[in-house]
Amino acid sequence: MHVLLTGSSGWLGRFLAPMLAEEGHDVTGFDIAPGEYTGIVGSVSDRSMVDRAFSNADIDAVIHAGGLHQPDLARCPSSAFVDTNVQGTLNMLEASRAAGVDRFVFTSTTSLMACEAVHSGTSSRAVWFDESYAPLEPRNVYGVTKLAAEQLCRLHSLQHRMNCIVLRPGRFFPGEDSAQPDLSADNHKANEFLNCRLMVDDVARAHVLALERAPALGFDTFILSAPTPFVRDDTNDLKRNAKAVIGRLFPEAARLFARRGRQLPASISRVYDSSHSQSVLGLRYDTRFSDILTALREGEDLPFATDRSPGCEQNPDLQRMEKDL
Ligand SMILES: NC(=O)c1ccc[n+]([C@@H]2O[C@H](COP(=O)([O-])OP(=O)(O)OC[C@H]3O[C@@H](n4cnc5c(N)ncnc54)[C@H](O)[C@@H]3O)[C@@H](O)[C@H]2O)c1
């Protein structure tokens, strides 16, 4: 298939573009910032640019991963989120339809599910998120615009029979994380593999699978997160004493963490359940919390250590252009 991939200069795009090529697809990258895998430099919010991207080649399928996301909240106004994530997605959908494309994969986010109670820590138990979770009440313009874009995909699928797959990945940022300043970034990431993080390679593979399965699925939404070892009945205990739940499931975890100067989480306030992606999309996650423990036991690098390899550093051109948006 000839795939038009937006966000091809970004963190995910730089994994996904070569993976698609390895699977035998032709890839045209489309991004506002230049990059190794980007053939068309332009904005998805510019309809004439989008039309040009489709007119230059016979596009069979679209993966729309480009846009503004969580880190952009600090540097972009709300209107830029609406232009890029909502108008940009509408442009991509309408141009896809005009070009006869029948497969559209949209990269959304679990962030749109995380309600205020989770962030303020006021919920009495951990919130269990699966695709049926409602009501969806995003707490910032990033989540609001991703939710609107998801709805445009749903509507397009309904009205125009376009096969649209919405993927909601959990966290796969490569960089430092300031969410818990008392923990090192690596410790924080390791803990997140229990409930809300996954590796970028697994995110990329989910996109490849979604592309393949789209005609059989029609419209569907999938949470992507490393498979959680917890069950719904754990939610009370996870909030009150997460270490006890983890100790029951992984008796050596506390010792392995302590040996490398790391701490397990005392409390967990949310869990993203990715069962649907495993059972329906057929995604097999390569990296789980148990792999973190294996690495600690064997004295190896943690699986996400490669996230900081020089080839994967954020491209300075990209950072400059994002600031200009
Ligand atoms: N990184 C995460 O932890 C995470 C978690 C959940 C969802 N996501 C989603 O995954 C997708 C990829 O995330 P990422 O981590 O690779 O982000 P990234 O910022 O590295 O990549 C996003 C890309 O989109 C491009 N872009 C921005 N505005 C554009 C526009 N107007 N037109 C065309 N391209 C534009 C950027 O230049 C960038 O290359 C995003 O849609 C993001 O919302 C990311």
Side-chain angles (χ1 to χ4, degrees):
M1 276 185 281
H2 189 167
V3 183
L4 181 62
L5 169 67
T6 70
S8 47
S9 302
W11 171 236
L12 172 61
R14 281 173 281 146
F15 278 84
L16 185 48
M19 195 180 279
L20 286 164
E22 267 169 38
E23 294 291 321
H25 300 298
D26 291 327
V27 183
T28 296
F30 177 17
D31 200 298
I32 198 165
E36 185 182 350
Y37 302 107
T38 297
I40 303 169
V41 177
S43 173
V44 293
S45 59
D46 175 349
R47 180 60 198 257
S48 60
M49 198 66 226
V50 170
D51 286 341
R52 216 176 314 154
F54 280 87
S55 67
N56 284 345
D58 271 345
I59 304 293
D60 303 301
V62 168
I63 298 182
H64 181 34
L68 296 183
H69 71 133
Q70 194 89 22
D72 299 309
L73 284 169
R75 49 187 179 240
C76 297
S78 296
S79 56
F81 276 84
V82 174
D83 284 350
T84 303
N85 292 354
V86 184
Q87 186 61 52
T89 301
L90 183 61
N91 289 344
M92 291 300 297
L93 283 163
E94 287 183 341
S96 297
R97 184 176 159 235
V101 168
D102 71 341
R103 301 176 195 219
F104 193 99
V105 178
F106 173 60
T107 317
S108 185
T109 173
T110 51
S111 172
L112 63 82
M113 308 178 76
C115 48
E116 192 54 38
V118 167
H119 281 272
S120 59
T122 52
S123 62
S124 59
R125 51 169 58 202
V127 181
W128 190 270
F129 290 108
D130 65 13
E131 291 80 359
S132 66
Y133 180 85
L136 293 174
E137 294 174 339
R139 62 192 179 94
N140 58 38
V141 72
Y142 170 52
V144 166
T145 54
K146 282 290 192 179
L147 182 56
E150 283 193 4
Q151 290 297 319
L152 289 171
C153 292
R154 183 190 58 76
L155 204 60
H156 240 73
S157 176
L158 191 72
Q159 295 180 335
H160 308 299
R161 295 174 157 269
M162 185 181 286
N163 302 304
C164 288
I165 305 300
V166 171
L167 300 176
R168 289 182 188 161
R171 302 166 76 88
F172 61 91
F173 293 117
E176 299 280 309
D177 198 307
S178 56
Q180 282 190 14
D182 50 323
L183 287 184
S184 71
D186 277 3
N187 192 159
H188 186 55
K189 282 187 189 173
N191 291 353
E192 286 184 335
F193 274 85
L194 286 161
N195 61 315
C196 63
R197 178 172 280 275
L198 72 166
M199 293 289 289
V200 66
D201 331 46
D202 283 333
V203 182
R205 280 191 307 107
H207 284 72
V208 176
L209 273 175
L211 198 66
E212 287 167 6
R213 304 274 160 89
L217 295 169
F219 177 81
D220 210 340
T221 300
F222 297 95
I223 288 173
L224 307 177
S225 193
T228 183
F230 307 129
V231 294
R232 275 177 196 266
D233 281 351
D234 292 328
T235 50
N236 253 329
D237 292 342
L238 282 174
K239 191 68 198 276
R240 283 188 291 110
N241 188 355
K243 285 182 185 168
V245 184
I246 298 163
R248 176 165 50 75
L249 295 166
F250 304 100
E252 58 173 353
R255 183 178 55 79
L256 292 175
F257 264 57
R259 203 168 70 184
R260 298 267 289 263
R262 296 189 164 88
Q263 300 168 42
L264 290 168
S267 173
I268 287 179
S269 61
R270 65 182 188 275
V271 177
Y272 292 113
D273 177 353
S274 62
S275 312
H276 191 53
S277 71
Q278 297 168 68
S279 59
V280 175
L281 198 56
L283 181 61
R284 300 282 164 265
Y285 289 84
D286 271 351
T287 308
R288 302 161 180 244
F289 183 71
S290 54
D291 297 304
I292 307 277
L293 295 182
T294 303
L296 289 173
R297 192 185 306 111
E298 310 290 328
E300 293 166 355
D301 283 344
L302 292 173
F304 45 81
T306 51
D307 282 2
R308 285 189 295 269
S309 70
C312 300
E313 287 301 321
Q314 183 84 324
N315 148 3
D317 286 340
L318 176 62
Q319 286 176 338
R320 233 185 352 264
M321 295 192 76
E322 279 182 341
K323 282 189 191 117
D324 290 344
L325 283 173

